[in-house]
Amino acid sequence: MPRSTGFSAFFSLLRAGLASALTLVAIVSCSDNLAPKTDAGLDPSSIIIIHVPDSVKQAYYASLAADPVMSGNLVAPARISATLLSSGSSCSSGGTAASYTKEASTWSGTLPESDPANAVALPKDADDGLIENMPIGFDFNFYGNTYSKLNLYLNGFVTFGTAIKKPYFVTDGIPSATDPNNMISLAWTDWNPGKVAGSVRYETRGDAPNRKFLIQFRGVPEVQGTGKLTTLLVLYEGTNKVEIYTTQFNMTYIGHRMTQGIETADGTLAEYVNAQTPSGLVTPRVRGVFSLLNDVVRFTPVSVKDQVPPSVTPKDNIIVGNDPGLASAVVAVARPDAADDCTPVTLSSARSDGETSLDAPYRVGITTITWTAKDEAGNASTATQTVKVEDREAPVFAPSALSVIEVNATSPSGAAVSYAPRATDNVGVISLVCDPASGSTFSVGSHDVSCVASDAAGNSSSRGFSVNVIGARVQLFNLIEYVKEIGLPNGTAQPLINQLRAAYDQDEIVACNKLGDFLSMVDKKASNIPAGEKEVMITEATRILRAAGCTQSSRPAMGR
C-alpha cells in the first residue's frame, strides 16, 4: 500500500537529524499510590519512554495539513486499510484458530468488568513509550501462537513477542507489513497517558481456567487536540477471545489517524470493524475525525473441525530375491512420508500375509503393505506398497542321484529301465522330466539320460547319468564266474562250468541247447547245491535264455 505524502515527509524529518533527538528513559521511580503491584509480576524497570520532541511532531502534522487529500476531507480516510482479509484454517480447534469472527455493537449501562486494580506509575511526559514483557497471568493464544507476556505501547496498542523500541505515534493502518505487527490495537493514535495520574491500569483476575487479563486507558488525552480515550481491553483464558470496550473516544486533531483491530505477525492479515462517523459516512476504523461512545468490538477465534486427512506417500515398491535355501526373504521396509496440515500423524501398517511385524520375513510372491496415516482429529488416509520376493533359486538334485545304472538285458531288444532321481527346491519342484523317460526300453550298450527339474518360478536345473544294458553273452560270462566262486564240490561245479563254457564258446543254436543242459544239470545236482545258489543259477540262466531269444521252436543268436 503506498504511503501518504505526509508520512514520507515525516521520514524526511528523521533523516534530517531526528534520530539524535530521541531518548530512551527507563522509569524506575514511582509514586506510592500509582506503583504497580509486585504480585502482578510487572517490573517497573520495563517501562520505557521514547520521547519525540513536540517540534518534530508539529512539523509532521503540518505536512499532513498541506496534504490536499487531508485538507479537503476532514471525515473520510485519506489512507484507508486494505480490503478485509480473513484466513480460515482446517487446523483450528479449541480457540487456537488462525482466523477470527468479529462483531461490533454498542451498550448502555456499566462495563462488564470493573476498573483494573493496578495502576502504572508514569511521568507527565510519558509519550510514545512502552512496557515490555507485561505478564498476562496465563497462556493466551493469538493467531495460532501461544504467549504468556505482551508489550503495552502507551499510544494505545499491545504486541506479542519481542518489543520494538520505536516512537509509534503515527499509525500506518492494518494490515501492513510495516512494524508493528502481531498486535491488538485498542485505539492507536498519539496519546499521552502521563498527563492523567492512574490513566493506565491492568489486572489478571479470576481463577483458572477462566481467568481474564485487563488493560485500561482511562481519560487519556491526545498529544495534539482535545480528544480523550477511555477504553478497556479484555483477554480471556481458554477461549482466547479479545474484547475492546470503548467508553469514550474522540479524535479532534486533523493530523491524527486511529487504528482499532488485530493483525498477524507478518502483517498480511488483519481484522477490524467499520465505524460510522458523525457525518454518517461508514469507514474502516483507520483514519478520520469521529468519536465512539459505549462501543464494543469482539474478536472470537474460529473453532473449525479438522476434516482434512493427512497425506501418506510410500517409498517405491520393492523387488528382491529369496534368501538362499528359503522360500522367503528378510526385507528392510522404509516408512513412508506422512504429513498433516494440523497435527502430528500416527502411522500404522498392515500386511496382506497376516504378519504383524514389518520385519518378519516376506514369502515368495507379492505382499501388499497398507499404510494408514491418521491425525489427531481422526482423519485418515491410506496408501499401499508392495514387496515382491522372487524365487531366483533353481531346484537342487539330491546328492544320491544316480550316475550310472547297469541292468541285464531281458530280451533281444534289451531291457526296460526305471529310475527316480530326486530334486528339492526352496519353494517346490513342480516338474521333473527325464529323457528317455523312466520305464523306456534300452538296447544292449550304454545310453545317456538327462533329467530337468523345474519350479513354479521357471527356475530349472539338470542332471545326467548313464544306463548300461548288459547283453546275453556278458551275462553268461558273469554266470560262469559266479559258479566258480561259490565253492561247490568239484564233482558238482566242474560239470556245470563245462556246460556254461560250451554255451559261451559254441554258435548260437548250440549255446541255447547248452543253457538248457545247464538247467537240467542244476536240477540233477540239486542235493549238492545250496538252495540260495541254486535259485541264483536258475534265475540267471533263465534270463540269459530270454535275452538270447532262445525258445523251443527257434533259437536266435545271443546278443553280445
Side-chain angles (χ1 to χ4, degrees), residues 208-467:
N210 299 306
R211 288 168 290 189
K212 303 172 187 177
F213 180 69
L214 290 74
I215 291 178
Q216 183 187 54
F217 282 61
R218 187 171 67 182
V220 177
E222 281 184 290
V223 172
Q224 303 285 331
T226 61
K228 289 187 177 181
L229 173 67
T230 297
T231 186
L232 178 69
L233 171 67
V234 184
L235 306 182
Y236 291 85
E237 182 181 18
T239 64
N240 300 302
K241 184 169 57 175
V242 177
E243 290 180 346
I244 303 171
Y245 292 90
T246 304
T247 304
Q248 177 191 13
F249 164 70
N250 62 301
M251 230 171 36
T252 64
Y253 190 75
I254 183 59
H256 286 169
R257 295 183 288 182
M258 188 274 285
T259 295
Q260 184 182 59
I262 60 177
E263 184 187 46
T264 59
D266 60 4
T268 59
L269 298 176
E271 302 284 354
Y272 53 85
V273 182
N274 290 340
Q276 189 167 11
T277 69
S279 65
L281 178 65
V282 176
T283 175
R285 300 180 186 193
V286 176
R287 186 175 186 175
V289 180
F290 60 89
S291 65
L292 295 176
L293 182 65
N294 294 343
D295 177 87
V296 60
V297 181
R298 180 178 295 110
F299 301 97
T300 304
V302 177
S303 180
V304 180
K305 183 180 180 181
D306 178 8
Q307 295 180 326
V308 179
S311 64
V312 54
T313 306
K315 306 299 183 182
D316 293 338
N317 294 331
I318 299 173
I319 301 177
V320 298
N322 65 287
D323 291 341
L326 300 176
S328 62
V330 175
V331 181
V333 179
R335 293 170 66 84
D337 298 321
D340 188 64
D341 58 348
C342 299
T343 60
V345 176
T346 301
L347 197 62
S348 61
S349 62
R351 290 173 48 163
S352 59
D353 59 2
E355 291 285 353
T356 58
S357 171
L358 286 175
D359 297 329
Y362 291 78
R363 292 191 285 270
V364 167
I366 296 177
T367 301
T368 299
I369 303 174
T370 300
W371 295 99
T372 299
K374 193 172 184 178
D375 63 20
E376 290 183 350
N379 303 303
S381 58
T382 61
T384 59
Q385 179 185 16
T386 59
V387 176
K388 182 180 182 181
V389 178
E390 296 179 338
D391 177 12
R392 299 176 183 175
E393 193 167 354
V396 177
F397 280 91
S400 59
L402 302 173
S403 57
V404 176
I405 298 177
E406 282 194 342
V407 296
N408 293 308
T410 58
S411 72
S413 299
V417 182
S418 296
Y419 32 81
R422 294 187 302 108
T424 58
D425 186 70
N426 59 321
V427 177
V429 176
I430 64 170
S431 172
L432 201 166
V433 178
C434 295
D435 183 28
S438 176
S440 298
T441 296
F442 291 81
S443 61
V444 173
S446 180
H447 304 271
D448 291 330
V449 178
S450 177
C451 296
V452 178
S454 303
D455 61 20
N459 303 303
S460 63
S461 60
S462 60
R463 180 70 180 270
F465 58 91
S466 297
V467 172

Side-chain angles (χ1 to χ4, degrees), residues 100 112-113 116 134-143 145-152 157-160 182-186 202-207 209-216 232-245 261-262 297-301:
Y100 291 80
E113 298 290 338
M134 182 177 248
I136 299 173
F138 51 82
D139 287 339
F140 183 76
N141 191 282
F142 185 67
Y143 274 110
N145 297 309
T146 300
Y147 305 92
S148 61
K149 299 178 181 180
L150 54 76
N151 309 301
L152 171 60
F157 64 91
V158 302
T159 66
F160 297 94
N182 206 25
M183 66 181 297
I184 300 174
S185 176
L186 293 75
Y202 67 96
E203 181 184 356
T204 301
R205 63 175 54 157
D207 299 318
N210 299 306
R211 288 168 290 189
K212 303 172 187 177
F213 180 69
L214 290 74
I215 291 178
Q216 183 187 54
L232 178 69
L233 171 67
V234 184
L235 306 182
Y236 291 85
E237 182 181 18
T239 64
N240 300 302
K241 184 169 57 175
V242 177
E243 290 180 346
I244 303 171
Y245 292 90
I262 60 177
V297 181
R298 180 178 295 110
F299 301 97
T300 304

